[in-house]
Amino acid sequence: MSNELSGKVALVAGGTRGASRAIAIELGRRGAFVYVTGRTSGEHRSEVGRPETIEGTLERITDAGGKGAAIRVDHLDPEQVRALAERVDREQGRLDILVDGIWGGDEYIGWGQAVWDLPLEHALRSIRLGIDAHIITSHFLLPLVIRSQGGLVVEMTDGTEEYNSRFREGTSIGFYVAKAASHSIVKAEAHDLAPHGATAVAMTPGWLRSEAMLEHYGVTEENWRDALAKEPHFCISESPVFVGRAVASLAADPERHRFHGQTLNSGQLAKIYEFDDVDGSRPDGWRYVMEVQDAGKPADPTGYR
């Protein structure tokens, strides 16, 4: 465990599972006190219906040598988020790092469905989860971030700004708009935060080996390569730890403001900060997707990890 972030206060919204869970753990590993929020606790499951909990994330932070607190919050409820901000203010008096990883909308994607076929309530729920919840969270928590100079805000998304500049074929309008909106959200936050010396970025992992993705392919982190028989391009996938290390490295960088207002990705930051994934490689996921997968070439990660 390093102490690069010792004395810092972080909050990871939606830190129940996947990339956000890994980010919370890595921030704690480097010394930050981490608040983990989400809808699934030991006593309550969200609509996602998965077994991971905010308490489980906190346990992993503790196992990594860090400290934190798990607080059940529905970030679509302004009063719950207001109460969260008041608690952090009361206990810490500031917030140095805010990571907004709220999503939980995979069941509403409706892969490949046209706007008239996708159930309207599914499209609108995606927008609520991917946009409304992020704006509500920023409204109440950014005043804590600007208390002192040098705060960091990370809006988690799926896809680089270049990749999301055109419609994501095979997805649907709800998912696409929700994820592409993050690029505009972070530009707006960057404008508002700049006078206060804070940095705002959007962040995307590559092809993430989340708990749900591993389950989808019937593999574990230990034998994930067995999934290549079903999906050869899964060869470029990365563990959640990879993006966790990306965000933790960014948070520890005193010159991170050079990325202000940009959308970053884990493979990009691995080259800058020289960190590896758990297998010792550095997958450059989005470059691979554009240059190999979408170009119709055979799966081959050579030169991309």
Side-chain angles (χ1 to χ4, degrees):
M1 175 179 173
S2 66
N3 293 308
E4 297 165 292
L5 300 177
S6 179
K8 300 296 184 182
V9 180
L11 190 150
V12 180
T16 315
R17 61 185 66 84
S20 299
R21 165 175 274 192
I23 290 167
I25 294 167
E26 292 305 312
L27 291 173
R29 189 191 308 278
R30 297 202 188 192
F33 183 94
V34 184
Y35 288 95
V36 181
T37 69
R39 295 177 295 167
T40 300
S41 68
E43 299 178 352
H44 186 280
R45 281 195 182 189
S46 74
E47 64 207 81
V48 177
R50 290 196 55 82
E52 298 86 16
T53 65
I54 53 176
E55 292 88 356
T57 301
L58 180 60
E59 182 178 347
R60 295 190 182 194
I61 291 172
T62 302
D63 290 344
K67 296 180 180 179
I71 308 173
R72 185 176 179 273
V73 178
D74 182 346
H75 284 259
L76 277 171
D77 184 335
E79 291 310 309
Q80 289 189 38
V81 184
R82 184 196 304 273
L84 170 65
E86 291 173 349
R87 173 170 171 175
V88 175
D89 189 10
R90 185 171 61 251
E91 295 179 353
Q92 307 290 345
R94 73 184 197 285
L95 183 60
D96 301 298
I97 304 162
L98 172 61
V99 179
D100 194 339
I102 301 162
W103 175 230
D106 284 356
E107 65 179 292
Y108 305 118
I109 294 176
W111 299 101
Q113 293 187 37
V115 63
W116 53 85
D117 291 324
L118 180 69
L120 180 59
E121 62 272 21
H122 289 190
L124 296 181
R125 185 62 175 171
S126 294
I127 298 300
R128 288 277 285 155
L129 291 165
I131 300 178
D132 293 13
H134 285 243
I135 293 174
I136 292 169
T137 300
S138 294
H139 176 80
F140 289 106
L141 290 171
L142 290 191
L144 293 177
V145 175
I146 63 175
R147 283 274 176 86
S148 56
Q149 293 283 313
L152 173 65
V153 177
V154 180
E155 294 283 351
M156 296 301 296
T157 188
D158 185 317
T160 65
E161 186 169 14
E162 179 185 7
Y163 197 77
N164 287 337
S165 64
R166 60 186 186 278
F167 180 68
R168 297 274 294 272
E169 292 187 21
T171 61
S172 66
I173 190 170
F175 174 85
Y176 173 69
V177 171
K179 294 304 181 181
S182 62
H183 312 304
S184 297
I185 289 173
V186 81
K187 285 183 173 67
E189 291 177 342
H191 175 272
D192 293 343
L193 291 171
H196 302 278
T199 300
V201 301
M203 172 69 67
T204 178
W207 193 336
L208 190 72
R209 293 197 300 273
S210 64
E211 300 90 345
M213 185 61 67
L214 291 171
E215 187 174 288
H216 172 74
Y217 285 120
V219 295
T220 65
E221 180 58 33
E222 287 67 36
N223 71 340
W224 68 267
R225 289 177 177 81
D226 291 350
L228 303 190
K230 182 184 296 185
E231 175 46 78
H233 288 299
F234 198 55
C235 63
I236 197 58
S237 67
E238 63 193 54
S239 79
V241 173
F242 196 51
V243 72
R245 289 172 176 171
V247 173
S249 297
L250 180 69
D253 181 0
E255 299 180 355
R256 60 179 174 269
H257 196 71
R258 67 190 188 275
F259 301 117
H260 192 50
Q262 298 180 31
T263 297
L264 309 172
N265 67 81
S266 49
Q268 170 191 8
L269 292 189
K271 296 176 182 177
I272 295 171
Y273 295 120
E274 299 187 332
F275 61 83
D276 299 328
D277 202 348
V278 292
D279 63 357
S281 71
R282 295 181 184 175
D284 195 351
W286 288 103
R287 189 168 66 88
Y288 176 93
V289 167
M290 296 178 73
E291 296 179 3
V292 179
Q293 183 175 333
D294 287 2
K297 297 179 181 178
D300 182 359
T302 302
Y304 294 92
R305 65 176 316 141

